Amino acid sequence: MNKFFLFNEFIEIGKVFKDCECYLIALEYFDKAIKLSFIIPINKNRILEAYDLRGNTKIFLNKYNEAIIDYTRAIELDPNISYLYFFRGLSRESLKQNKEALRDFQLSLKLDPEFELASIMIDYLEGL
């Protein structure tokens, strides 16, 4: 099978398992897709989506350190997406890395001034 199609298939299958709350299986498919992205040239946005989806899945599995790594990689691909900072901030807040979490929420809000959840998290962390 064409590796480009296989990459996309892994992403789509991973999404299905994530939606069914079968997070460990979803994680396997996102891992496979990301491994493929190292050997074939994949569109930057699709790789970013893979890291984002894998990071979200890791949050559900309480693997916050690993989620931070995935969100950081996604941010490196496109530093202008506010929700990536938000979810990295949630992961950091879960690990009690409040200073770093606050910085991520502030960046998220800077990129999207209408992102109400980021504003709520900033207020929460500043109130601690």
Side-chain angles (χ1 to χ4, degrees):
M1 176 182 266
N2 181 304
K3 290 182 181 174
F4 291 105
F5 290 119
L6 195 56
F7 174 88
N8 289 315
E9 185 174 303
F10 288 153
I11 293 294
E12 296 308 316
I13 293 171
K15 285 180 186 179
V16 169
F17 281 111
K18 182 176 174 282
D19 290 344
C20 293
E21 298 180 9
C22 298
Y23 301 120
L24 290 173
I25 299 169
L27 193 57
E28 287 179 32
Y29 281 96
F30 297 138
D31 287 345
K32 289 178 183 182
I34 289 170
K35 278 185 185 176
L36 268 179
S37 76
F38 289 112
I39 59 173
I40 58 174
I42 300 290
N43 176 289
K44 175 182 91 163
N45 292 326
R46 288 296 280 168
I47 298 171
L48 187 150
E49 179 184 21
Y51 280 117
D52 177 30
L53 288 165
R54 191 169 76 170
N56 284 169
T57 304
K58 288 176 178 177
I59 286 176
F60 285 114
L61 294 169
N62 299 323
K63 295 182 176 193
Y64 302 113
N65 282 317
E66 292 178 30
I68 290 167
I69 292 168
D70 283 340
Y71 289 120
T72 300
R73 289 181 178 151
I75 289 166
E76 289 169 355
L77 292 167
D78 189 343
N80 297 310
I81 300 176
S82 66
Y83 69 84
L84 296 173
Y85 293 97
F86 178 81
F87 283 113
R88 188 173 71 177
L90 280 181
S91 298
R92 287 179 164 162
E93 190 273 333
S94 295
L95 294 170
K96 307 293 186 223
Q97 298 173 359
N98 294 343
K99 187 176 181 180
E100 294 86 353
L102 180 61
R103 187 172 52 241
D104 278 340
F105 293 131
Q106 289 168 335
L107 285 167
S108 180
L109 192 62
K110 182 179 179 183
L111 290 168
D112 181 0
E114 311 231 347
F115 198 163
E116 190 172 334
L117 286 175
S119 181
I120 290 168
M121 291 305 295
I122 290 168
D123 291 344
Y124 167 74
L125 288 173
E126 287 178 340
L128 293 179

